[in-house]
Amino acid sequence: MLAAQTPNAQPTILELRYFYLRNTTDNMPGRAVEYLKTADLPASKDAGASGIGYFTSNLAPRAPFLLAVRSWASLAAMEQGWAKLPKASDAAYLRMERQILRSFTGMPEVAVKAAPEARLFELRTYESSTAQTLQKKIGMFNDGEIAIFRKTGLDPVFFGEMLAGPNQPCLVYMLAYDSFAAREKNWNTFLADPDWLKLRGTPGLSDGEIVSNISSAFLRPLAFSPIR
């Protein structure tokens, strides 16, 4: 088994904001992108946010939408930061929904990487039947699964436990790939990895015991996103 990593950094607060769109004669999607680029991104940096990324739905439920990701040092820092952020015109999007997560101790910071070519991103949600089984799954990630991801070519961006949002109890994480073909290759490598087979074979840690549903959304980064 790979040794679990114990980062010195404390968990952070992850904020995911979904901007749901519709096609309009006055280009709602374009106006929403412009707001995020020219207003939200610089204001988020000035307000103390980090781990910032902006994405558009590629293959996902409830598309089309834009997703903004950012990280705050604490709930208090997030609340203070919100007061400094600009407000978009209601006409820039149909509705906005926010999810608040606490990052995992095994990966407390968002991994910000601007690849030479824009990558494919997958947002994965794992639901559990109870808070206790969710903590078991989070423990699996912290105690080895994140390290196995990296070993087998799966590139994590963040991991978080849902504090405010739908489908609780659940966790959400994001992975990056060079392409859909690379995704398939790396997942097959992961699923056959001896360390993963040993971890998932631990009594009480099978998906059937601790994960009740898994869902995915595929995203592409916007051109100005710090995470690409």
Side-chain angles (χ1 to χ4, degrees):
M1 175 64 62
L2 296 178
Q5 298 179 353
T6 307
N8 293 324
Q10 295 297 310
T12 56
I13 297 300
L14 307 175
E15 180 187 359
L16 278 57
R17 288 168 301 143
Y18 290 83
F19 297 88
Y20 291 99
L21 309 171
R22 63 185 173 193
N23 293 321
T24 63
T25 57
D26 57 352
N27 190 20
M28 176 184 285
R31 287 184 289 107
V33 169
E34 185 67 14
Y35 157 72
L36 294 175
K37 176 182 178 180
T38 62
D40 189 82
L41 175 57
S44 294
K45 292 179 178 178
D46 290 344
S50 61
I52 303 170
Y54 298 94
F55 308 88
T56 183
S57 54
N58 177 252
L59 182 62
R62 300 184 66 189
F65 62 80
L66 303 176
L67 172 65
V69 175
R70 59 190 174 202
S71 176
W72 302 94
S74 65
L75 288 169
M78 180 179 69
E79 186 176 12
Q80 294 168 6
W82 283 354
K84 302 176 182 179
L85 298 176
K87 303 296 187 290
S89 165
D90 291 342
Y93 52 85
L94 184 63
R95 64 182 295 112
M96 188 273 283
E97 295 179 6
R98 179 180 282 119
Q99 298 176 8
I100 307 300
L101 301 92
R102 179 173 53 236
S103 69
F104 290 5
T105 57
M107 188 176 176
E109 303 288 345
V110 176
V112 178
K113 176 181 177 182
E117 299 292 334
R119 295 174 293 169
L120 171 71
F121 292 81
E122 182 179 9
L123 196 67
R124 294 172 63 86
T125 300
Y126 288 14
E127 300 171 35
S128 293
S129 298
T130 68
Q132 291 74 23
T133 53
L134 178 67
Q135 291 307 311
K136 287 186 177 182
K137 185 59 193 177
I138 292 173
M140 286 181 69
F141 279 112
N142 289 334
D143 295 338
E145 193 168 347
I146 294 175
I148 301 169
F149 272 14
R150 293 188 172 116
K151 183 182 73 165
T152 56
L154 297 172
D155 192 2
V157 179
F158 68 78
F159 292 85
E161 176 186 358
M162 186 77 73
L163 301 181
N167 304 318
Q168 296 186 60
C170 70
L171 63 87
V172 179
Y173 67 94
M174 178 180 279
L175 298 174
Y177 317 99
D178 290 336
S179 64
F180 276 108
R183 174 190 182 271
E184 183 176 5
K185 176 183 176 182
N186 293 340
W187 270 108
N188 286 337
T189 301
F190 169 81
L191 292 172
D193 183 83
D195 288 323
W196 168 241
L197 294 175
K198 181 178 179 180
L199 180 59
R200 70 174 296 183
T202 303
L205 296 185
S206 69
D207 278 0
E209 294 172 286
I210 61 176
V211 178
S212 58
N213 188 57
I214 298 175
S215 56
S216 289
F218 293 94
L219 314 168
R220 296 287 186 182
L222 296 177
F224 58 89
S225 175
I227 302 173
R228 304 181 33 80

